[in-house]
Amino acid sequence: MLNSEKKTLRRFFAIYTILVITLIIAVSMIYYKSSSERMKLEYKTLMQDFAILQTKRLKWLHNHFPRYKKYPRDDRYNSAIYDLEYNEIFSTMKSRDINFNKNLYFTKNYVIYFTILSDYYLGAKYLFIEIPKNSALIDMIYKKIAIFSAMALFVFLIIGYFLAKLFIKPMRESIKLLDNFIKDTTHEINTPISIINTNIEMLDSSKFTKRENRILNRVKIASRTLETIYKDLKFTTLENGNVVKNVKFNLKDLLLERVEYFSLLIESKKIKIVLNLDDFYIEADSNLISRLVDNLISNAIKYNKINGEINITIKDKKLVIKDSGIGIKKENLDKIFKRYSRFNSSEGGFGIGLNIVKQIIDIYNLKVDIKSEENVGTEVTIIW
Amino acid sequence: MVKIVIALLLTVSLNANFKKDCVACHKSKGVSLRKAFMDALLVYGGKKNFKTALFYYCKNPVIFNSVMDEDLVKKYTPLKPITIDDDELKKLLDEYWEKFKVIGNLK
């Protein structure tokens, strides 16, 4: 899966998950509210009955006071009476949380119902009924919400998975189309490139005039550029089919060979090459390292100025290729390794060169450091 | 009942004495001060409201201010407004409340 696909999928899933979670929270809240309202109604109905019973008992006591002084008690509930000046007349309640503004309210362990008496038996205007809170009811609501949320999340994530597949299908098809096109094109240009290169090499330049030799050089440059592009495309299209053959070789020799290979192109832009190469033996597939080096040198030439400079250094297990070219914008630095990423339309290309570099770096667990300043140049360091 | 209580209170002197004047008189008329208290409490509820209502009734002892049984009130009608000093009347009502109050007497 391409990075752009991953990024799109990540964004889609982030938005989708936030929406799903918001929806689940909203539904859970509605369910919790309706359940707790239903629970409150059940409590209220029960406690209203207790209040009616307690009022009757208060009435009886009022009529028989002070012959009977025992405040009426019941195992099922506690109660308290207050006069109209909010003074406590008597209470058997465990909770001290008295609220004259709420008809039904909950404390930590109790549910309290409050009613106003029409007749002030024993001087009481306010009657409170208290029963222990049934936490199992609330626990059951929470349990139901948790189960529902988990199930809904699971179902929505499955739906999200299929939606995401639908979502990236057009993007995948476009990439596949491009890949197939490149693959077909690569296959088709192989033979003509080989023929051009073989025939150019067969020409005897000593028999040409100076002007004809200049023309021949241009053809050579063009054919080598084509060959580089061909190799890059071949590497990319055979991404999963490249067989790595590691051998020990001197990176310095490879660099010298590749610089020689690009010499005509370098000369054409009048670029000064400064080489500072130590011997450095590495064990790797020389074709892969060649692709890596070719792409870096090719970029250093392609994006350089006429009469520019390229410094190539091998020192302390580091390969540094520094150019005096147009540089890369800061905001584009973190995107340069993405396939088909191009930030300069003045030069040709598919935008796959640095992606190839990145793939080879990853194969050998190398480190890469890129420093660039617009209109000053770019310095690429590969660290072994 | 309250009207009767107040009617009886009308006869007390300036230096009224609850036991001597109120209780004795009520007893002689066969009107229970306790019953009067509980009937008034049923309507007036709290201490402050109770005393304020009874004070007002003592000053204006008319039938529609009464919370007592109508027949009983009519029996002692017409009633004259109490003439004793307001402070004295308040003291008598304080004593009346303290003697028969429910708060603090329930078990």
PDB file of all heavy atoms in Angstrom, chain A residues 140-172:
ATOM      1  N   MET A 140     -26.806  -1.916  36.024  1.00  0.00           N
ATOM      2  CA  MET A 140     -27.371  -2.608  34.863  1.00  0.00           C
ATOM      3  C   MET A 140     -27.449  -1.655  33.655  1.00  0.00           C
ATOM      4  O   MET A 140     -27.165  -2.052  32.525  1.00  0.00           O
ATOM      5  CB  MET A 140     -28.759  -3.139  35.196  1.00  0.00           C
ATOM      6  CG  MET A 140     -29.152  -4.319  34.321  1.00  0.00           C
ATOM      7  SD  MET A 140     -30.573  -5.151  34.977  1.00  0.00           S
ATOM      8  CE  MET A 140     -31.859  -4.047  34.482  1.00  0.00           C
ATOM      9  N   ILE A 141     -27.799  -0.399  33.927  1.00  0.00           N
ATOM     10  CA  ILE A 141     -27.859   0.589  32.833  1.00  0.00           C
ATOM     11  C   ILE A 141     -26.467   0.766  32.226  1.00  0.00           C
ATOM     12  O   ILE A 141     -26.293   0.734  31.013  1.00  0.00           O
ATOM     13  CB  ILE A 141     -28.420   1.940  33.343  1.00  0.00           C
ATOM     14  CG1 ILE A 141     -29.876   1.788  33.759  1.00  0.00           C
ATOM     15  CG2 ILE A 141     -28.292   3.027  32.268  1.00  0.00           C
ATOM     16  CD1 ILE A 141     -30.462   2.978  34.469  1.00  0.00           C
ATOM     17  N   TYR A 142     -25.461   0.921  33.108  1.00  0.00           N
ATOM     18  CA  TYR A 142     -24.079   1.095  32.627  1.00  0.00           C
ATOM     19  C   TYR A 142     -23.621  -0.119  31.821  1.00  0.00           C
ATOM     20  O   TYR A 142     -22.972   0.009  30.790  1.00  0.00           O
ATOM     21  CB  TYR A 142     -23.126   1.320  33.799  1.00  0.00           C
ATOM     22  CG  TYR A 142     -23.205   2.700  34.404  1.00  0.00           C
ATOM     23  CD1 TYR A 142     -23.165   2.897  35.775  1.00  0.00           C
ATOM     24  CD2 TYR A 142     -23.321   3.842  33.598  1.00  0.00           C
ATOM     25  CE1 TYR A 142     -23.251   4.160  36.334  1.00  0.00           C
ATOM     26  CE2 TYR A 142     -23.406   5.107  34.149  1.00  0.00           C
ATOM     27  CZ  TYR A 142     -23.373   5.257  35.523  1.00  0.00           C
ATOM     28  OH  TYR A 142     -23.459   6.508  36.053  1.00  0.00           O
ATOM     29  N   LYS A 143     -23.996  -1.301  32.335  1.00  0.00           N
ATOM     30  CA  LYS A 143     -23.602  -2.551  31.676  1.00  0.00           C
ATOM     31  C   LYS A 143     -24.212  -2.601  30.273  1.00  0.00           C
ATOM     32  O   LYS A 143     -23.527  -2.926  29.293  1.00  0.00           O
ATOM     33  CB  LYS A 143     -24.078  -3.724  32.529  1.00  0.00           C
ATOM     34  CG  LYS A 143     -23.271  -4.990  32.336  1.00  0.00           C
ATOM     35  CD  LYS A 143     -23.748  -6.021  33.338  1.00  0.00           C
ATOM     36  CE  LYS A 143     -23.192  -7.380  33.004  1.00  0.00           C
ATOM     37  NZ  LYS A 143     -23.674  -8.399  33.922  1.00  0.00           N
ATOM     38  N   LYS A 144     -25.500  -2.267  30.202  1.00  0.00           N
ATOM     39  CA  LYS A 144     -26.187  -2.284  28.902  1.00  0.00           C
ATOM     40  C   LYS A 144     -25.530  -1.300  27.938  1.00  0.00           C
ATOM     41  O   LYS A 144     -25.322  -1.600  26.767  1.00  0.00           O
ATOM     42  CB  LYS A 144     -27.668  -1.924  29.083  1.00  0.00           C
ATOM     43  CG  LYS A 144     -28.528  -3.104  29.492  1.00  0.00           C
ATOM     44  CD  LYS A 144     -29.977  -2.688  29.558  1.00  0.00           C
ATOM     45  CE  LYS A 144     -30.852  -3.834  30.011  1.00  0.00           C
ATOM     46  NZ  LYS A 144     -32.234  -3.404  30.227  1.00  0.00           N
ATOM     47  N   ILE A 145     -25.198  -0.109  28.468  1.00  0.00           N
ATOM     48  CA  ILE A 145     -24.567   0.913  27.620  1.00  0.00           C
ATOM     49  C   ILE A 145     -23.210   0.416  27.116  1.00  0.00           C
ATOM     50  O   ILE A 145     -22.878   0.556  25.936  1.00  0.00           O
ATOM     51  CB  ILE A 145     -24.425   2.254  28.389  1.00  0.00           C
ATOM     52  CG1 ILE A 145     -25.796   2.904  28.538  1.00  0.00           C
ATOM     53  CG2 ILE A 145     -23.471   3.208  27.671  1.00  0.00           C
ATOM     54  CD1 ILE A 145     -25.828   4.134  29.394  1.00  0.00           C
ATOM     55  N   ALA A 146     -22.434  -0.212  28.026  1.00  0.00           N
ATOM     56  CA  ALA A 146     -21.097  -0.705  27.643  1.00  0.00           C
ATOM     57  C   ALA A 146     -21.210  -1.778  26.564  1.00  0.00           C
ATOM     58  O   ALA A 146     -20.483  -1.741  25.560  1.00  0.00           O
ATOM     59  CB  ALA A 146     -20.381  -1.251  28.875  1.00  0.00           C
ATOM     60  N   ILE A 147     -22.157  -2.719  26.760  1.00  0.00           N
ATOM     61  CA  ILE A 147     -22.321  -3.807  25.775  1.00  0.00           C
ATOM     62  C   ILE A 147     -22.781  -3.233  24.433  1.00  0.00           C
ATOM     63  O   ILE A 147     -22.225  -3.552  23.381  1.00  0.00           O
ATOM     64  CB  ILE A 147     -23.313  -4.874  26.304  1.00  0.00           C
ATOM     65  CG1 ILE A 147     -22.688  -5.600  27.500  1.00  0.00           C
ATOM     66  CG2 ILE A 147     -23.691  -5.871  25.210  1.00  0.00           C
ATOM     67  CD1 ILE A 147     -23.634  -6.479  28.273  1.00  0.00           C
ATOM     68  N   PHE A 148     -23.772  -2.339  24.509  1.00  0.00           N
ATOM     69  CA  PHE A 148     -24.294  -1.737  23.274  1.00  0.00           C
ATOM     70  C   PHE A 148     -23.191  -0.973  22.538  1.00  0.00           C
ATOM     71  O   PHE A 148     -23.029  -1.104  21.316  1.00  0.00           O
ATOM     72  CB  PHE A 148     -25.457  -0.798  23.618  1.00  0.00           C
ATOM     73  CG  PHE A 148     -25.771   0.197  22.543  1.00  0.00           C
ATOM     74  CD1 PHE A 148     -26.491  -0.182  21.418  1.00  0.00           C
ATOM     75  CD2 PHE A 148     -25.316   1.509  22.625  1.00  0.00           C
ATOM     76  CE1 PHE A 148     -26.755   0.732  20.411  1.00  0.00           C
ATOM     77  CE2 PHE A 148     -25.566   2.417  21.624  1.00  0.00           C
ATOM     78  CZ  PHE A 148     -26.292   2.027  20.510  1.00  0.00           C
ATOM     79  N   SER A 149     -22.409  -0.189  23.303  1.00  0.00           N
ATOM     80  CA  SER A 149     -21.355   0.629  22.684  1.00  0.00           C
ATOM     81  C   SER A 149     -20.311  -0.252  22.008  1.00  0.00           C
ATOM     82  O   SER A 149     -19.891   0.029  20.882  1.00  0.00           O
ATOM     83  CB  SER A 149     -20.665   1.502  23.733  1.00  0.00           C
ATOM     84  OG  SER A 149     -21.606   2.319  24.345  1.00  0.00           O
ATOM     85  N   ALA A 150     -19.900  -1.323  22.717  1.00  0.00           N
ATOM     86  CA  ALA A 150     -18.879  -2.208  22.157  1.00  0.00           C
ATOM     87  C   ALA A 150     -19.384  -2.864  20.873  1.00  0.00           C
ATOM     88  O   ALA A 150     -18.674  -2.911  19.867  1.00  0.00           O
ATOM     89  CB  ALA A 150     -18.505  -3.266  23.191  1.00  0.00           C
ATOM     90  N   MET A 151     -20.641  -3.325  20.923  1.00  0.00           N
ATOM     91  CA  MET A 151     -21.213  -3.978  19.737  1.00  0.00           C
ATOM     92  C   MET A 151     -21.347  -2.994  18.575  1.00  0.00           C
ATOM     93  O   MET A 151     -20.993  -3.301  17.432  1.00  0.00           O
ATOM     94  CB  MET A 151     -22.585  -4.579  20.070  1.00  0.00           C
ATOM     95  CG  MET A 151     -22.475  -5.917  20.792  1.00  0.00           C
ATOM     96  SD  MET A 151     -24.040  -6.468  21.464  1.00  0.00           S
ATOM     97  CE  MET A 151     -24.967  -6.749  19.987  1.00  0.00           C
ATOM     98  N   ALA A 152     -21.850  -1.801  18.901  1.00  0.00           N
ATOM     99  CA  ALA A 152     -22.041  -0.784  17.853  1.00  0.00           C
ATOM    100  C   ALA A 152     -20.699  -0.408  17.234  1.00  0.00           C
ATOM    101  O   ALA A 152     -20.573  -0.290  16.007  1.00  0.00           O
ATOM    102  CB  ALA A 152     -22.729   0.440  18.443  1.00  0.00           C
ATOM    103  N   LEU A 153     -19.693  -0.237  18.099  1.00  0.00           N
ATOM    104  CA  LEU A 153     -18.357   0.135  17.612  1.00  0.00           C
ATOM    105  C   LEU A 153     -17.809  -0.947  16.676  1.00  0.00           C
ATOM    106  O   LEU A 153     -17.275  -0.648  15.605  1.00  0.00           O
ATOM    107  CB  LEU A 153     -17.415   0.340  18.802  1.00  0.00           C
ATOM    108  CG  LEU A 153     -16.092   1.035  18.493  1.00  0.00           C
ATOM    109  CD1 LEU A 153     -16.322   2.465  18.033  1.00  0.00           C
ATOM    110  CD2 LEU A 153     -15.184   1.049  19.713  1.00  0.00           C
ATOM    111  N   PHE A 154     -17.996  -2.186  17.093  1.00  0.00           N
ATOM    112  CA  PHE A 154     -17.528  -3.323  16.290  1.00  0.00           C
ATOM    113  C   PHE A 154     -18.207  -3.323  14.913  1.00  0.00           C
ATOM    114  O   PHE A 154     -17.545  -3.395  13.878  1.00  0.00           O
ATOM    115  CB  PHE A 154     -17.819  -4.622  17.059  1.00  0.00           C
ATOM    116  CG  PHE A 154     -17.406  -5.860  16.323  1.00  0.00           C
ATOM    117  CD1 PHE A 154     -16.058  -6.158  16.143  1.00  0.00           C
ATOM    118  CD2 PHE A 154     -18.350  -6.728  15.797  1.00  0.00           C
ATOM    119  CE1 PHE A 154     -15.673  -7.296  15.457  1.00  0.00           C
ATOM    120  CE2 PHE A 154     -17.980  -7.862  15.105  1.00  0.00           C
ATOM    121  CZ  PHE A 154     -16.632  -8.151  14.934  1.00  0.00           C
ATOM    122  N   VAL A 155     -19.535  -3.193  14.938  1.00  0.00           N
ATOM    123  CA  VAL A 155     -20.308  -3.206  13.673  1.00  0.00           C
ATOM    124  C   VAL A 155     -19.895  -2.029  12.794  1.00  0.00           C
ATOM    125  O   VAL A 155     -19.630  -2.180  11.594  1.00  0.00           O
ATOM    126  CB  VAL A 155     -21.832  -3.171  13.969  1.00  0.00           C
ATOM    127  CG1 VAL A 155     -22.627  -2.952  12.691  1.00  0.00           C
ATOM    128  CG2 VAL A 155     -22.261  -4.468  14.641  1.00  0.00           C
ATOM    129  N   PHE A 156     -19.800  -0.838  13.412  1.00  0.00           N
ATOM    130  CA  PHE A 156     -19.454   0.357  12.622  1.00  0.00           C
ATOM    131  C   PHE A 156     -18.037   0.263  12.051  1.00  0.00           C
ATOM    132  O   PHE A 156     -17.773   0.755  10.962  1.00  0.00           O
ATOM    133  CB  PHE A 156     -19.604   1.624  13.458  1.00  0.00           C
ATOM    134  CG  PHE A 156     -21.023   2.115  13.507  1.00  0.00           C
ATOM    135  CD1 PHE A 156     -21.737   2.130  14.689  1.00  0.00           C
ATOM    136  CD2 PHE A 156     -21.651   2.575  12.358  1.00  0.00           C
ATOM    137  CE1 PHE A 156     -23.056   2.577  14.734  1.00  0.00           C
ATOM    138  CE2 PHE A 156     -22.958   3.022  12.387  1.00  0.00           C
ATOM    139  CZ  PHE A 156     -23.662   3.026  13.573  1.00  0.00           C
ATOM    140  N   LEU A 157     -17.126  -0.372  12.814  1.00  0.00           N
ATOM    141  CA  LEU A 157     -15.758  -0.498  12.305  1.00  0.00           C
ATOM    142  C   LEU A 157     -15.707  -1.450  11.105  1.00  0.00           C
ATOM    143  O   LEU A 157     -14.959  -1.209  10.155  1.00  0.00           O
ATOM    144  CB  LEU A 157     -14.803  -0.963  13.400  1.00  0.00           C
ATOM    145  CG  LEU A 157     -14.428   0.122  14.412  1.00  0.00           C
ATOM    146  CD1 LEU A 157     -13.485  -0.412  15.469  1.00  0.00           C
ATOM    147  CD2 LEU A 157     -13.800   1.342  13.745  1.00  0.00           C
ATOM    148  N   ILE A 158     -16.520  -2.483  11.169  1.00  0.00           N
ATOM    149  CA  ILE A 158     -16.584  -3.403  10.013  1.00  0.00           C
ATOM    150  C   ILE A 158     -17.139  -2.645   8.804  1.00  0.00           C
ATOM    151  O   ILE A 158     -16.587  -2.726   7.695  1.00  0.00           O
ATOM    152  CB  ILE A 158     -17.440  -4.645  10.354  1.00  0.00           C
ATOM    153  CG1 ILE A 158     -16.663  -5.529  11.338  1.00  0.00           C
ATOM    154  CG2 ILE A 158     -17.784  -5.434   9.097  1.00  0.00           C
ATOM    155  CD1 ILE A 158     -17.433  -6.696  11.872  1.00  0.00           C
ATOM    156  N   ILE A 159     -18.218  -1.904   9.040  1.00  0.00           N
ATOM    157  CA  ILE A 159     -18.796  -1.108   7.941  1.00  0.00           C
ATOM    158  C   ILE A 159     -17.734  -0.126   7.423  1.00  0.00           C
ATOM    159  O   ILE A 159     -17.564   0.050   6.220  1.00  0.00           O
ATOM    160  CB  ILE A 159     -20.063  -0.352   8.412  1.00  0.00           C
ATOM    161  CG1 ILE A 159     -21.163  -1.361   8.746  1.00  0.00           C
ATOM    162  CG2 ILE A 159     -20.543   0.634   7.355  1.00  0.00           C
ATOM    163  CD1 ILE A 159     -22.357  -0.776   9.453  1.00  0.00           C
ATOM    164  N   GLY A 160     -17.004   0.491   8.383  1.00  0.00           N
ATOM    165  CA  GLY A 160     -15.951   1.448   8.014  1.00  0.00           C
ATOM    166  C   GLY A 160     -14.876   0.812   7.146  1.00  0.00           C
ATOM    167  O   GLY A 160     -14.374   1.446   6.209  1.00  0.00           O
ATOM    168  N   TYR A 161     -14.549  -0.444   7.462  1.00  0.00           N
ATOM    169  CA  TYR A 161     -13.523  -1.152   6.690  1.00  0.00           C
ATOM    170  C   TYR A 161     -13.957  -1.271   5.222  1.00  0.00           C
ATOM    171  O   TYR A 161     -13.182  -0.992   4.301  1.00  0.00           O
ATOM    172  CB  TYR A 161     -13.295  -2.535   7.325  1.00  0.00           C
ATOM    173  CG  TYR A 161     -12.406  -3.442   6.512  1.00  0.00           C
ATOM    174  CD1 TYR A 161     -11.035  -3.228   6.472  1.00  0.00           C
ATOM    175  CD2 TYR A 161     -12.936  -4.496   5.777  1.00  0.00           C
ATOM    176  CE1 TYR A 161     -10.208  -4.047   5.710  1.00  0.00           C
ATOM    177  CE2 TYR A 161     -12.127  -5.320   5.020  1.00  0.00           C
ATOM    178  CZ  TYR A 161     -10.761  -5.096   4.983  1.00  0.00           C
ATOM    179  OH  TYR A 161      -9.961  -5.896   4.239  1.00  0.00           O
ATOM    180  N   PHE A 162     -15.226  -1.675   5.015  1.00  0.00           N
ATOM    181  CA  PHE A 162     -15.713  -1.822   3.640  1.00  0.00           C
ATOM    182  C   PHE A 162     -15.858  -0.460   2.953  1.00  0.00           C
ATOM    183  O   PHE A 162     -15.581  -0.322   1.762  1.00  0.00           O
ATOM    184  CB  PHE A 162     -17.041  -2.585   3.626  1.00  0.00           C
ATOM    185  CG  PHE A 162     -16.850  -4.041   3.936  1.00  0.00           C
ATOM    186  CD1 PHE A 162     -17.250  -4.572   5.146  1.00  0.00           C
ATOM    187  CD2 PHE A 162     -16.227  -4.881   3.017  1.00  0.00           C
ATOM    188  CE1 PHE A 162     -17.044  -5.907   5.449  1.00  0.00           C
ATOM    189  CE2 PHE A 162     -16.020  -6.217   3.302  1.00  0.00           C
ATOM    190  CZ  PHE A 162     -16.417  -6.733   4.523  1.00  0.00           C
ATOM    191  N   LEU A 163     -16.278   0.534   3.736  1.00  0.00           N
ATOM    192  CA  LEU A 163     -16.384   1.897   3.180  1.00  0.00           C
ATOM    193  C   LEU A 163     -15.013   2.396   2.732  1.00  0.00           C
ATOM    194  O   LEU A 163     -14.874   2.994   1.660  1.00  0.00           O
ATOM    195  CB  LEU A 163     -16.950   2.863   4.225  1.00  0.00           C
ATOM    196  CG  LEU A 163     -18.465   2.888   4.380  1.00  0.00           C
ATOM    197  CD1 LEU A 163     -18.848   3.866   5.476  1.00  0.00           C
ATOM    198  CD2 LEU A 163     -19.131   3.315   3.083  1.00  0.00           C
ATOM    199  N   ALA A 164     -13.996   2.120   3.574  1.00  0.00           N
ATOM    200  CA  ALA A 164     -12.633   2.568   3.251  1.00  0.00           C
ATOM    201  C   ALA A 164     -12.151   1.921   1.967  1.00  0.00           C
ATOM    202  O   ALA A 164     -11.510   2.562   1.124  1.00  0.00           O
ATOM    203  CB  ALA A 164     -11.700   2.226   4.407  1.00  0.00           C
ATOM    204  N   LYS A 165     -12.489   0.621   1.817  1.00  0.00           N
ATOM    205  CA  LYS A 165     -12.079  -0.083   0.594  1.00  0.00           C
ATOM    206  C   LYS A 165     -12.727   0.565  -0.635  1.00  0.00           C
ATOM    207  O   LYS A 165     -12.067   0.772  -1.667  1.00  0.00           O
ATOM    208  CB  LYS A 165     -12.495  -1.557   0.686  1.00  0.00           C
ATOM    209  CG  LYS A 165     -11.475  -2.399   1.418  1.00  0.00           C
ATOM    210  CD  LYS A 165     -11.897  -3.830   1.486  1.00  0.00           C
ATOM    211  CE  LYS A 165     -11.127  -4.661   0.492  1.00  0.00           C
ATOM    212  NZ  LYS A 165     -11.416  -6.091   0.625  1.00  0.00           N
ATOM    213  N   LEU A 166     -14.011   0.887  -0.493  1.00  0.00           N
ATOM    214  CA  LEU A 166     -14.706   1.578  -1.590  1.00  0.00           C
ATOM    215  C   LEU A 166     -14.086   2.940  -1.855  1.00  0.00           C
ATOM    216  O   LEU A 166     -13.925   3.376  -2.992  1.00  0.00           O
ATOM    217  CB  LEU A 166     -16.188   1.793  -1.229  1.00  0.00           C
ATOM    218  CG  LEU A 166     -17.120   0.605  -1.415  1.00  0.00           C
ATOM    219  CD1 LEU A 166     -18.508   0.973  -0.930  1.00  0.00           C
ATOM    220  CD2 LEU A 166     -17.198   0.258  -2.909  1.00  0.00           C
ATOM    221  N   PHE A 167     -13.735   3.580  -0.759  1.00  0.00           N
ATOM    222  CA  PHE A 167     -13.214   4.941  -0.791  1.00  0.00           C
ATOM    223  C   PHE A 167     -11.889   5.022  -1.562  1.00  0.00           C
ATOM    224  O   PHE A 167     -11.673   5.939  -2.356  1.00  0.00           O
ATOM    225  CB  PHE A 167     -13.031   5.381   0.665  1.00  0.00           C
ATOM    226  CG  PHE A 167     -12.719   6.835   0.854  1.00  0.00           C
ATOM    227  CD1 PHE A 167     -13.600   7.806   0.417  1.00  0.00           C
ATOM    228  CD2 PHE A 167     -11.552   7.223   1.492  1.00  0.00           C
ATOM    229  CE1 PHE A 167     -13.316   9.131   0.601  1.00  0.00           C
ATOM    230  CE2 PHE A 167     -11.263   8.553   1.676  1.00  0.00           C
ATOM    231  CZ  PHE A 167     -12.151   9.512   1.227  1.00  0.00           C
ATOM    232  N   ILE A 168     -10.991   4.025  -1.327  1.00  0.00           N
ATOM    233  CA  ILE A 168      -9.666   4.111  -1.962  1.00  0.00           C
ATOM    234  C   ILE A 168      -9.609   3.373  -3.303  1.00  0.00           C
ATOM    235  O   ILE A 168      -8.587   3.377  -3.971  1.00  0.00           O
ATOM    236  CB  ILE A 168      -8.530   3.601  -1.035  1.00  0.00           C
ATOM    237  CG1 ILE A 168      -8.756   2.138  -0.666  1.00  0.00           C
ATOM    238  CG2 ILE A 168      -8.358   4.459   0.170  1.00  0.00           C
ATOM    239  CD1 ILE A 168      -7.483   1.485  -0.158  1.00  0.00           C
ATOM    240  N   LYS A 169     -10.723   2.731  -3.648  1.00  0.00           N
ATOM    241  CA  LYS A 169     -10.726   1.958  -4.897  1.00  0.00           C
ATOM    242  C   LYS A 169     -10.335   2.825  -6.111  1.00  0.00           C
ATOM    243  O   LYS A 169      -9.438   2.430  -6.877  1.00  0.00           O
ATOM    244  CB  LYS A 169     -12.103   1.318  -5.106  1.00  0.00           C
ATOM    245  CG  LYS A 169     -12.049   0.122  -6.029  1.00  0.00           C
ATOM    246  CD  LYS A 169     -13.414  -0.500  -6.173  1.00  0.00           C
ATOM    247  CE  LYS A 169     -13.352  -1.570  -7.250  1.00  0.00           C
ATOM    248  NZ  LYS A 169     -14.673  -2.097  -7.563  1.00  0.00           N
ATOM    249  N   PRO A 170     -10.954   4.004  -6.309  1.00  0.00           N
ATOM    250  CA  PRO A 170     -10.570   4.820  -7.477  1.00  0.00           C
ATOM    251  C   PRO A 170      -9.093   5.204  -7.455  1.00  0.00           C
ATOM    252  O   PRO A 170      -8.423   5.194  -8.485  1.00  0.00           O
ATOM    253  CB  PRO A 170     -11.442   6.066  -7.359  1.00  0.00           C
ATOM    254  CG  PRO A 170     -12.498   5.731  -6.400  1.00  0.00           C
ATOM    255  CD  PRO A 170     -11.987   4.661  -5.521  1.00  0.00           C
ATOM    256  N   MET A 171      -8.586   5.508  -6.243  1.00  0.00           N
ATOM    257  CA  MET A 171      -7.172   5.897  -6.119  1.00  0.00           C
ATOM    258  C   MET A 171      -6.270   4.721  -6.497  1.00  0.00           C
ATOM    259  O   MET A 171      -5.304   4.871  -7.244  1.00  0.00           O
ATOM    260  CB  MET A 171      -6.897   6.322  -4.674  1.00  0.00           C
ATOM    261  CG  MET A 171      -5.543   6.970  -4.481  1.00  0.00           C
ATOM    262  SD  MET A 171      -5.097   7.052  -2.772  1.00  0.00           S
ATOM    263  CE  MET A 171      -6.140   8.333  -2.225  1.00  0.00           C
ATOM    264  N   ARG A 172      -6.622   3.535  -6.015  1.00  0.00           N
ATOM    265  CA  ARG A 172      -5.851   2.326  -6.316  1.00  0.00           C
ATOM    266  C   ARG A 172      -5.840   2.052  -7.817  1.00  0.00           C
ATOM    267  O   ARG A 172      -4.812   1.688  -8.378  1.00  0.00           O
ATOM    268  CB  ARG A 172      -6.468   1.119  -5.602  1.00  0.00           C
ATOM    269  CG  ARG A 172      -5.996   0.987  -4.201  1.00  0.00           C
ATOM    270  CD  ARG A 172      -5.947  -0.466  -3.835  1.00  0.00           C
ATOM    271  NE  ARG A 172      -5.111  -0.639  -2.670  1.00  0.00           N
ATOM    272  CZ  ARG A 172      -5.284  -1.586  -1.789  1.00  0.00           C
ATOM    273  NH1 ARG A 172      -6.246  -2.444  -1.961  1.00  0.00           N
ATOM    274  NH2 ARG A 172      -4.467  -1.684  -0.765  1.00  0.00           N
TER     275      ARG A 172
END
